[in-house]
Amino acid sequence: MLTNLTIKNYALIDELYVSFNTGLTIITGETGAGKSILLGGLSLILGKRADLSHVKDKSKKCIIEATFDIAKYNLKTVFKTEALDYESQTIIRREILPSGKSRAFINDTPVTLNSLQILGERLLDIHSQHQTLQLTNDDFQFQVIDALAKNEKLLSVYTTLLKEFRQLKTELSSLQEKKNTALKELDYHSFLLKELEDAKLISGELELLETEYDTLNNVEDIKERLSISHHAMNNDEVGIITKLTEIKHQFSKLSGYSTKYHSIYERIQSSLIELDDVSSEIESLQESLDADPSRLDQVNSKLQIINNLLQKHTVSSVEELIEIKENLGSKVFETENLDTIISEKETAINTLEAKLISESETIRKNRLAIIPKLISQLESILATLGMPNARFDIQLEQAESFLNNGRDTLQFLFSANKGGQFTELKKSASGGELSRIMLAIKSILSKYMQLPTIMFDEIDTGVSGEVSNKMATIMQQMSKTMQVFTITHLPQIAAKGDTHFKVFKHDVNNVTQTQLKQLNLDDRIVEIAQMLGGKDVSSSAIAHAKELLN
């Protein structure tokens, strides 16, 4: 419910602060006093676009701030979805800057107008004859029927299933398209994959093959150089080992004379051991080297295969070729198994479709069961509101496809006159009739669901005193479970309020300002008397006003 409202520097309002209570709140005032200004300010709270022309002093900031008690509204999910901090006492603020820019805040968090609209429509419903067009909207009509049919949980399950169903259908369509494209490329991918698989690629083998190729291709030259090296080390006369052995022998004798000779002897001995090892390794390399034309052809052939593949796939390493092979393998496997994947997806879709049909049938059954009750209640209420011949024919037809709220299409048909033909509501009901129908629907809805605060803007226009009295009674009943405001010119309605405010203009320093004042009992008597008989209040008008209030 709306608990507080602050308006600064907006239209004819310099500064206004007012607190509201539960129940039925009446707002009265002369034509042009500024009731529309109040509604305009509240519209900004609901996310209406700001207009700099509404700012009273364009050198100052305009502020409209409203506090709502939302503890009973079950809005935590909305706050979470919009990434807002939930507060049971939620403050919504709009600011219009002198530059013309507008800012919006929910609990001091900056928000977009879209977020403001999403939350605002859950908090405050400003109803005028213009808003009665909502009656002709399918979504609203379904909302009414589903509220009475208690379909909320069923629709929640249905919506979740429908989202998953549509997602699977999208995925299936994508898979089928992918299959068509993949089949065209399958032969080529399979060819490339077989070519890479036949190459039997091993990570790091290119470098090994190149080394082996160089060795096999130059085996005679390598053997000759190894032989020369071995001979230079082991020749009996001039070999390095022979000469070093002779030097070792000499220092063996010298080491007995001084430790410094012994040190050199040990170093010579160490070098000789290393040279012997080198000589043995050279000899082993010699013995292992043999010309192998067959192996050379094998290595050369493998190198050509690898190099051709590197060039073909425009890469520089065997590792990259292996990665390409794995990717091609995945594509070929996926293509060859797409039928299985598609079949599994189709099975899942069929399962979901069966569930959706079952849920939608239950939803439809509940709707069909409640429609006669809704028609009866509407016609009964409208009869008390001066429309005794109002008749409804609500038709529910099954759709071929799944819709957002089931598998039904809806027609709200209406006839205002006895014996009249049923036609679409928007074509057959006048503005005044639509207002009364909306009041009837809202009064019925208030018994089945937690509605936001509602503000009726002169919904009583053009109705008689007796009908207005019935209207007031309906609004009074609604106000037992929700907060109701009504802006009225009729004393019969004004007298039914739990709280009564008057909108009025007055001049301050030759500047006209609009103010809102809460009336006490005496003030209400005078106000209602003036509504009955004009500004010159008579004793009979006072008596009549007291009677209405009692």
Side-chain angles (χ1 to χ4, degrees), residues 91-142:
I91 299 173
I92 299 178
R93 187 171 79 255
R94 285 292 299 276
E95 297 179 355
I96 306 174
L97 305 179
S99 62
K101 290 185 178 180
S102 163
R103 300 188 300 190
F105 303 86
I106 297 176
N107 294 329
D108 285 330
T109 299
V111 295
T112 63
L113 287 188
N114 184 58
S115 293
L116 206 59
Q117 289 164 1
I118 289 171
L119 181 60
E121 67 184 13
R122 307 289 190 93
L123 300 178
L124 186 61
D125 177 9
I126 298 177
H127 174 80
S128 63
Q129 284 200 11
H130 174 69
Q131 272 74 40
T132 53
L133 293 176
Q134 184 186 30
L135 267 175
T136 64
N137 179 281
D138 280 355
D139 289 340
F140 179 75
Q141 292 171 358
F142 272 116

Side-chain angles (χ1 to χ4, degrees), residues 74-275:
N74 298 320
L75 293 176
K76 289 183 180 179
T77 302
V78 177
F79 275 75
K80 185 176 181 181
T81 302
E82 296 300 314
L84 296 168
D85 293 330
Y86 176 83
E87 298 287 348
S88 59
Q89 296 292 320
T90 282
I91 299 173
I92 299 178
R93 187 171 79 255
R94 285 292 299 276
E95 297 179 355
I96 306 174
L97 305 179
S99 62
K101 290 185 178 180
S102 163
R103 300 188 300 190
F105 303 86
I106 297 176
N107 294 329
D108 285 330
T109 299
V111 295
T112 63
L113 287 188
N114 184 58
S115 293
L116 206 59
Q117 289 164 1
I118 289 171
L119 181 60
E121 67 184 13
R122 307 289 190 93
L123 300 178
L124 186 61
D125 177 9
I126 298 177
H127 174 80
S128 63
Q129 284 200 11
H130 174 69
Q131 272 74 40
T132 53
L133 293 176
Q134 184 186 30
L135 267 175
T136 64
N137 179 281
D138 280 355
D139 289 340
F140 179 75
Q141 292 171 358
F142 272 116
Q143 181 188 349
V144 174
I145 290 174
D146 287 326
L148 272 65
K150 298 181 179 177
N151 275 338
E152 183 180 359
K153 289 183 179 178
L154 287 169
L155 284 167
S156 177
V157 172
Y158 174 88
T159 303
T160 301
L161 290 171
L162 182 61
K163 183 179 180 181
E164 188 177 351
F165 177 78
R166 287 173 172 171
Q167 177 64 32
L168 285 176
K169 293 276 281 186
T170 300
E171 290 173 5
L172 177 62
S173 177
S174 177
L175 281 169
Q176 288 169 333
E177 186 178 332
K178 188 175 185 179
K179 178 184 174 182
N180 293 335
T181 304
L183 285 173
K184 296 175 186 176
E185 299 174 342
L186 179 60
D187 289 343
Y188 180 58
H189 286 161
S190 298
F191 169 76
L192 291 177
L193 177 62
K194 187 175 186 308
E195 199 174 43
L196 288 165
E197 286 177 337
D198 289 345
K200 294 180 172 59
L201 299 168
I202 301 170
S203 180
E205 73 172 329
L206 180 60
E207 293 77 10
L208 295 173
L209 286 169
E210 287 174 341
T211 300
E212 186 178 1
Y213 176 82
D214 287 340
T215 300
L216 290 170
N217 198 41
N218 298 283
V219 66
E220 296 301 331
D221 182 52
I222 294 170
K223 286 183 72 172
E224 182 181 353
R225 294 182 185 280
L226 288 172
S227 177
I228 291 170
S229 300
H230 189 267
H231 183 267
M233 294 182 75
N234 294 284
N235 184 275
D236 289 342
E237 294 180 1
V238 294
I240 295 170
I241 294 176
T242 302
K243 292 297 184 182
L244 192 57
T245 301
E246 183 181 334
I247 296 169
K248 171 191 169 187
H249 177 71
Q250 297 302 324
F251 270 86
S252 175
K253 299 293 183 181
L254 290 170
S255 62
Y257 299 130
S258 171
T259 56
K260 63 184 178 181
Y261 299 129
H262 183 73
S263 173
I264 294 174
Y265 169 79
E266 287 180 341
R267 290 166 65 190
I268 292 169
Q269 174 70 10
S270 177
S271 298
L272 193 56
I273 291 170
E274 179 67 21
L275 285 171

Side-chain angles (χ1 to χ4, degrees), residues 482-536:
M482 62 183 292
Q483 186 183 36
V484 179
F485 288 82
T486 183
I487 296 173
T488 183
H489 288 295
L490 296 179
Q492 292 88 346
I493 290 178
K496 296 280 188 180
D498 299 303
T499 312
H500 190 157
F501 288 89
K502 180 176 181 178
V503 180
F504 63 96
K505 287 181 181 178
H506 68 135
D507 294 337
V508 178
N509 298 325
N510 293 321
V511 175
T512 301
Q513 294 186 3
T514 289
Q515 275 295 332
L516 186 67
K517 176 187 176 184
Q518 183 173 349
L519 304 182
N520 58 30
L521 179 58
D522 291 338
D523 293 333
R524 290 188 73 182
I525 292 170
V526 173
E527 176 69 9
I528 292 170
Q530 288 180 339
M531 294 172 76
L532 287 164
K535 284 193 175 184
D536 296 327

Side-chain angles (χ1 to χ4, degrees), residues 280-416:
S280 297
E281 193 168 337
I282 291 173
E283 187 174 18
S284 176
L285 288 170
Q286 276 184 287
E287 291 171 355
S288 67
L289 272 177
D290 284 311
D292 189 347
S294 175
R295 176 59 184 162
L296 179 60
D297 286 344
Q298 290 177 359
V299 172
N300 186 45
S301 176
K302 185 67 180 283
L303 281 171
Q304 285 182 346
I305 289 171
I306 292 174
N307 284 318
N308 286 340
L309 288 171
L310 290 172
Q311 185 175 5
K312 185 172 191 173
H313 294 280
T314 61
V315 293
S316 58
S317 69
V318 171
E319 288 71 25
E320 290 173 288
L321 287 175
I322 291 172
E323 186 178 348
I324 291 170
K325 182 191 73 171
E326 291 172 350
N327 289 336
L328 284 169
S330 296
K331 287 180 180 179
V332 170
F333 176 82
E334 189 176 308
T335 303
E336 291 174 343
N337 288 274
L338 270 176
D339 283 337
T340 302
I341 299 170
I342 287 172
S343 177
E344 290 172 352
K345 200 73 73 176
E346 286 173 338
T347 300
I349 286 171
N350 290 336
T351 302
L352 273 175
E353 186 172 25
K355 290 180 181 178
L356 279 168
I357 290 172
S358 175
E359 292 294 329
S360 62
E361 286 296 334
T362 307
I363 291 168
R364 175 178 173 78
K365 181 181 176 182
N366 292 347
R367 287 169 174 169
L368 288 170
I370 203 66
I371 283 174
K373 185 176 180 180
L374 173 61
I375 290 174
S376 175
Q377 289 186 41
L378 280 174
E379 290 177 352
S380 174
I381 293 171
L382 289 174
T384 67
L385 294 179
M387 298 172 64
N389 298 317
R391 295 291 180 267
F392 286 90
D393 180 16
I394 301 175
Q395 298 179 356
L396 205 64
E397 300 293 336
Q398 195 164 63
E400 293 183 4
S401 58
F402 295 114
L403 306 175
N404 289 338
N405 58 356
R407 293 179 66 204
D408 297 322
T409 60
L410 183 66
Q411 267 198 315
F412 247 76
L413 302 179
F414 175 70
S415 172

